[in-house]
Amino acid sequence: MNIAVCAKRVPLSGGRWELTADNLDIDTSGASVGFTTSPHEECAAEAAVQLVEQLGGSSTVITLGVADSEEQVRSLLAVGVDRGVIIETDGSEWDPQATASALTEQIKAGSPEGAYDLVLLGTEAADTADFQVGIRMAHALGWPVVTNVKGMTIDGGVARCERAVGSAREVYEVTLPAVITVKDGLNIPRYPSVPGRIKARKKPVDTVIIEKPAARLEKVRLDLAVEEARSAEILGTGVDAVPALVEIFKNIGVL
Amino acid sequence: MILVLVDHDRGVLDATSVQALTAARALDSDVEVLLVGAAGRDAVAELATYGADTIHLAVHDTLTDYAPLASAKAALELVSSRSPRGIFTTGTPRGNEVLAHIAAILDAPMAAEVLSVTFGDAGVHEVVRNRWGGNLTETARVHNDLLLAAFAPHAIRAENATGAGNVTEFTPNLDAADTAVRVIDRTGGAATGVGLAEARVIVSGGRGVGGPEGFDVIEQLADLLSGAVGCSRVVTSNGWRPHSEQVGQTGTKVAPDLYIACGISGATQHIAGCRTSKTIIAINTDKDAPIMGYAHYAVIGDAQTILPELVAATRAAKE
């Protein structure tokens, strides 16, 4: 089975976000800002590696982002994904339609081992939260899609998918080829081993450059959320604060 | 006219999905609602109490349970026959999913995590939407006549109003492929206690809880407050708790009346999953932890020593 994992490099802040002077982007120059893969897309990569271990085949991570996205791609290769493809951008954002269309072209092109049977990606990107790229890809490919998946098994070309609804789970079944979009908690991604990291350096990562279409969901500006300024009322220190906590439980009607 | 997609689960109205109806009614006096599946009839009376006047009910032999593509196809028939200027949903998993199918079929842009909408002329509308789970907001232009908007859950409080609740049934044109992806079974449920997403109170633990045994008191406190247990990502990564309990932007997003964060420093993605809670209490040794910028109340100290006392005092207060 040939599996594509679409994963996105997203900024990660250890503190408050800062914006660039034109209010169009997150200021990533500060020491407290780094980059990571969307956490649930680490789960998607883990699922792909497990499925290939189980059923054979190949796994490819595809990302749309700046050249530096290679850092995130290599980290997924280090946990066992076979190769990477970077659709390289100049750092400006692609809207969800443009993103889906660029990723779809890579799926249609297939892997060196043959056509893809399964595309795994996050239900939404952790930063832009558009909730649509996987579904758009499925329509462009003519494949079925299940979203918000927190549990998945594949048997005989059929994926059985579970998604959490309250305290229960809904079960869906879908015949491959299919697109499955996942949530964090699908599995617990393994940490890359040292041999894994060394192997990852030698795995192939291709770069593709295509023209960026005009945005139809066009970012005008970003702002820091207003509530950022909130600061907690300190009720006390240690167990001395317990009566004040119980008082709050009473006041807000949960006791 | 704005068309609002309201969801129900086997006839039980999804109260969160009604928030989009309140959003639409604030913008337009002409609002119509779509319910999909014959079981939706059972949700009509309650839906009318949120001001729904005109309700379209899509009924079809194959619509026996939720099937996202079929719901989208039903909505598209109303796009043709009723010509709405917008389709609104609440961005629940189903709301986002059905709207994205509509967007994909129409090859139209869609805005998710929307906080507010301004309809414009000449097919350009403006939306304000959340990014990073509400840590940032984005102002964006949507270039399409028909505005497809999924509102951020709990960004708007559903308001009651008297609606006529007039139901018009129609049978959408569906083929087998439209219901190929559908709910075929359910597992778990009531037996597992209060679900995270619907809990009024969540007691959540992080690294500062110390280990899996530290969750005993968290469970006790959650029980006393009729709430659910949550946790941070590091807790599931360490195998202390099942990942079904993980609160976060990409885990389960929650908005309870009370969120108690015990020994959780407040990583971006965790905050993004709980920031719209009505009241947040943080118990943490570090008064400068990021969670303090989001909590309404804080206790500085070790959760492992405070929680047993808090459980005892809460139990005493209940008796």
Side-chain angles (χ1 to χ4, degrees), chain B residues 208-232:
Chain B
V209 163
E213 61 289 342
F215 276 84
D216 292 349
V217 279
I218 289 193
E219 281 179 0
Q220 289 165 25
L221 185 60
D223 276 352
L224 286 166
L225 300 174
S226 306
V229 174
C231 67
S232 67

Side-chain angles (χ1 to χ4, degrees), chain A residues 93 128 170 216 218 230, chain B residues 94 107 129 131 143 294:
Chain A
E93 255 176 29
T128 56
E170 291 174 345
R216 296 180 67 196
E218 180 200 357
R230 187 190 293 159
Chain B
R94 289 183 180 185
D107 193 23
R129 55 185 295 266
R131 283 196 174 207
H143 296 261
Y294 302 88

Side-chain angles (χ1 to χ4, degrees), chain A:
Chain A
M1 187 157 70
N2 299 314
I3 306 172
V5 176
C6 304
K8 186 178 184 185
R9 167 187 165 100
V10 296
L12 181 73
S13 171
R16 301 263 160 127
W17 294 106
E18 302 285 341
L19 298 176
T20 53
D22 61 5
N23 271 69
L24 275 174
D25 281 298
I26 292 169
D27 182 355
T28 54
S29 61
S32 67
V33 180
F35 291 90
T36 184
T37 303
S38 283
H40 50 344
E41 290 175 342
E42 290 178 354
C43 297
E46 175 65 34
V49 171
Q50 286 180 17
L51 284 167
V52 170
E53 284 168 352
Q54 206 181 85
L55 305 168
S58 69
S59 55
T60 304
V61 55
I62 305 172
T63 193
L64 179 121
V66 294
D68 283 347
S69 303
E70 185 173 342
E71 180 192 345
Q72 281 66 43
V73 168
R74 295 275 174 205
S75 73
L76 297 178
L77 300 187
V79 297
V81 177
D82 296 319
R83 74 172 64 76
V85 177
I86 299 171
I87 306 166
E88 193 182 314
T89 70
D90 62 3
S92 64
E93 255 176 29
W94 290 41
D95 81 349
Q97 281 175 283
T99 303
S101 149
L103 292 171
T104 301
E105 287 313 305
Q106 288 304 310
I107 303 304
K108 284 184 176 165
S111 74
E113 288 81 7
Y116 288 112
D117 305 289
L118 177 63
V119 175
L120 297 173
L121 70 161
T123 297
E124 82 285 23
D127 55 348
T128 56
D130 292 305
F131 291 95
Q132 55 193 267
V133 168
I135 292 174
R136 289 187 189 276
M137 291 175 72
H139 279 271
L141 293 163
W143 294 2
V145 55
V146 186
T147 69
N148 291 280
V149 171
K150 269 203 158 184
M152 176 177 67
T153 51
I154 292 181
D155 189 19
V158 174
R160 187 178 168 89
C161 302
E162 290 181 10
R163 79 190 208 191
V165 179
S167 54
R169 289 198 163 201
E170 291 174 345
V171 180
Y172 296 78
E173 271 183 3
V174 67
T175 305
L176 303 185
V179 176
I180 294 178
T181 80
V182 307
K183 288 188 74 79
D184 208 352
L186 175 73
N187 50 39
I188 298 176
R190 70 193 76 179
Y191 288 109
S193 62
V194 173
R197 285 183 194 280
I198 293 166
K199 267 198 223 163
R201 288 189 211 139
K202 293 183 184 146
K203 289 182 179 175
V205 176
D206 294 335
T207 295
V208 179
I209 295 178
I210 56 174
E211 202 177 325
K212 177 183 165 181
R216 296 180 67 196
L217 178 63
E218 180 200 357
K219 178 169 65 178
V220 179
R221 61 178 285 132
L222 295 179
D223 288 288
L224 297 172
V226 195
E227 312 93 311
E228 288 279 315
R230 187 190 293 159
S231 106
E233 179 188 334
I234 308 285
L235 298 172
T237 303
V239 294
D240 294 347
V242 165
L245 284 172
V246 175
E247 209 50 39
I248 288 171
F249 294 169
K250 285 181 186 159
N251 290 344
I252 62 178
V254 298
L255 194 66

Side-chain angles (χ1 to χ4, degrees), chain B residues 22 24 30 90 98 101 121 129 143 150 175 179 187 203 236 277 289 293:
Chain B
T22 299
D30 190 4
T90 309
V98 173
H101 275 289
D121 302 326
R129 55 185 295 266
H143 296 261
D175 59 39
T179 51
T187 61
V203 187
T236 52
S277 306

Side-chain angles (χ1 to χ4, degrees), chain B residues 220-274:
Chain B
Q220 289 165 25
L221 185 60
D223 276 352
L224 286 166
L225 300 174
S226 306
V229 174
C231 67
S232 67
R233 192 161 201 264
V234 66
V235 166
T236 52
S237 298
N238 287 349
W240 297 354
R241 299 296 290 185
H243 33 236
S244 58
E245 291 179 358
Q246 186 185 314
V247 170
Q249 160 77 354
T250 53
T252 300
K253 280 181 83 171
V254 299
D257 289 346
L258 175 62
Y259 189 82
I260 308 177
C262 309
I264 292 177
S265 62
T268 305
Q269 85 103 17
H270 186 84
I271 302 259
C274 66

